Amino acid sequence: MKPAAVEYLRPGNLGEAITALVGGGDEARVIAGGQSLVALMNLRVAMPALVIDIARLPELIAASEDGDAVTLGACVTHSAIEDGQVPDPSRGLMPHAAASLGYRAIRNRGTIGGSLALADPAAEWPAVLSALDAEAVLHGPDGRRSHRCDGLATGVFETVLRPGEIIAAVRVRKLSGTARWGYVKLCRKAGEFAQALAVAVLDQGTARVVIGAANGPPLLLAAASRQLAQGGDVREAVAADLDAAADRHFGDFERSLHEVAALRAIAQASA
């Protein structure tokens, strides 16, 4: 199938994009890499009347580094992160995760902000950025605000974004020189969406263990995070965290995959 007729707009700056998005209301959609939206439009699952292309806005493709953090524009591509074209605050975690995302053609177009805004449960960036305790910078008709990436997604393809808001950037604090991390993605073959995804980050006595592809937003394993930070036995903690997530309705096989992924990621971070 082909998409329905649509009006296409390429604004000159972020302010113009927000004005157009507000004016278009429910019939307007923002497009950057288009790796998800175009597929939905081709199937006519999504039929916006107006598509606002923000992919080339200078403020959204920029990357900057300050003393303790790196800010990546929302339209920085997966391949730019993979190839080291932007600063890496994660000591290799983000380039490693980017390389596992889809295929090279997808990584050349897809963007970090687009992944966060779509909030696909199987997506890599929401889980990785939650584990890194990163912040999303949101711009809208009421101005600028920040929101932790942990909690940005509120459900399946649902976020805290307000009408007219656009994710403009992601701010990631730099890991220390002694930080360690683990990343495990389980899928049937390379390039596919994850069936289970786990990210563990250990830095200066604090830890975060997050699983993705979890029937909803990324899930922080609080007990496992505490045990990883303290150097304790994490196996029972992971099981307890998954028991506490009854609202995710994991089947037995699905739960087993998440448990294996989490334990492997923790083992990598502990090595």
Side-chain angles (χ1 to χ4, degrees):
M1 294 180 67
K2 296 297 180 183
V6 61
E7 182 181 354
Y8 173 84
L9 175 66
R10 179 178 287 173
N13 54 57
L14 183 56
E16 290 180 9
I18 292 169
T19 298
L21 185 59
V22 171
D26 293 339
E27 297 300 315
R29 294 290 184 274
V30 169
I31 190 169
Q35 298 306 288
S36 299
L37 180 59
V38 169
L40 294 174
M41 290 172 63
N42 283 343
L43 293 171
R44 301 205 178 189
V45 173
M47 293 191 292
L50 172 64
V51 169
I52 303 164
D53 187 348
I54 62 172
R56 299 184 186 180
L57 295 184
E59 57 263 62
L60 300 190
I61 59 176
S64 61
E65 185 173 7
D66 58 35
D68 64 348
V70 168
T71 299
L72 301 175
C75 291
V76 168
T77 62
H78 313 314
S79 62
I81 296 170
E82 177 186 6
D83 295 345
Q85 297 175 9
V86 294
D88 173 27
S90 67
R91 296 187 57 80
L93 170 55
M94 293 179 69
H96 181 79
S100 77
L101 198 159
Y103 302 96
R104 182 66 187 194
I106 291 172
R107 299 196 292 272
N108 285 341
R109 293 286 301 173
T111 64
I112 189 169
S115 177
L116 286 177
L118 182 65
D120 187 323
E124 293 82 356
W125 286 128
V128 170
L129 293 171
S130 177
L132 288 168
D133 203 20
E135 290 185 337
V137 180
L138 315 179
H139 282 252
D142 296 325
R144 175 188 182 276
R145 67 185 179 110
S146 295
H147 197 287
R148 291 178 64 199
C149 291
D150 181 15
L152 188 72
T154 57
V156 177
F157 302 114
E158 296 178 345
T159 71
V160 299
L161 285 171
R162 299 167 183 165
E165 275 192 328
I166 293 173
I167 297 177
V170 176
R171 188 174 188 273
V172 188
R173 287 191 295 274
K174 296 177 183 177
L175 297 182
S176 74
T178 59
R180 300 193 300 275
W181 53 265
Y183 176 87
V184 174
K185 177 181 177 180
L186 300 180
C187 51
R188 290 178 296 177
K189 65 176 183 178
E192 287 194 342
F193 286 111
Q195 292 178 283
L197 177 72
V199 190
V201 176
L202 176 62
D203 190 16
Q204 296 181 326
T206 63
R208 291 177 65 83
V209 181
V210 175
I211 62 172
N215 299 341
L219 178 63
L220 175 67
L221 304 186
S225 298
R226 288 193 297 271
Q227 288 300 312
L228 175 58
Q230 296 166 8
D233 183 3
V234 296
R235 186 172 294 275
E236 290 187 3
V238 169
D241 283 323
L242 293 176
D243 286 341
D247 60 321
R248 300 300 178 105
H249 305 291
F250 297 136
D252 291 343
F253 177 67
E254 189 178 17
R255 177 194 165 106
S256 178
L257 285 180
H258 288 304
E259 186 168 3
V260 167
L263 290 172
R264 289 181 181 177
I266 290 169
Q268 290 176 10
S270 302

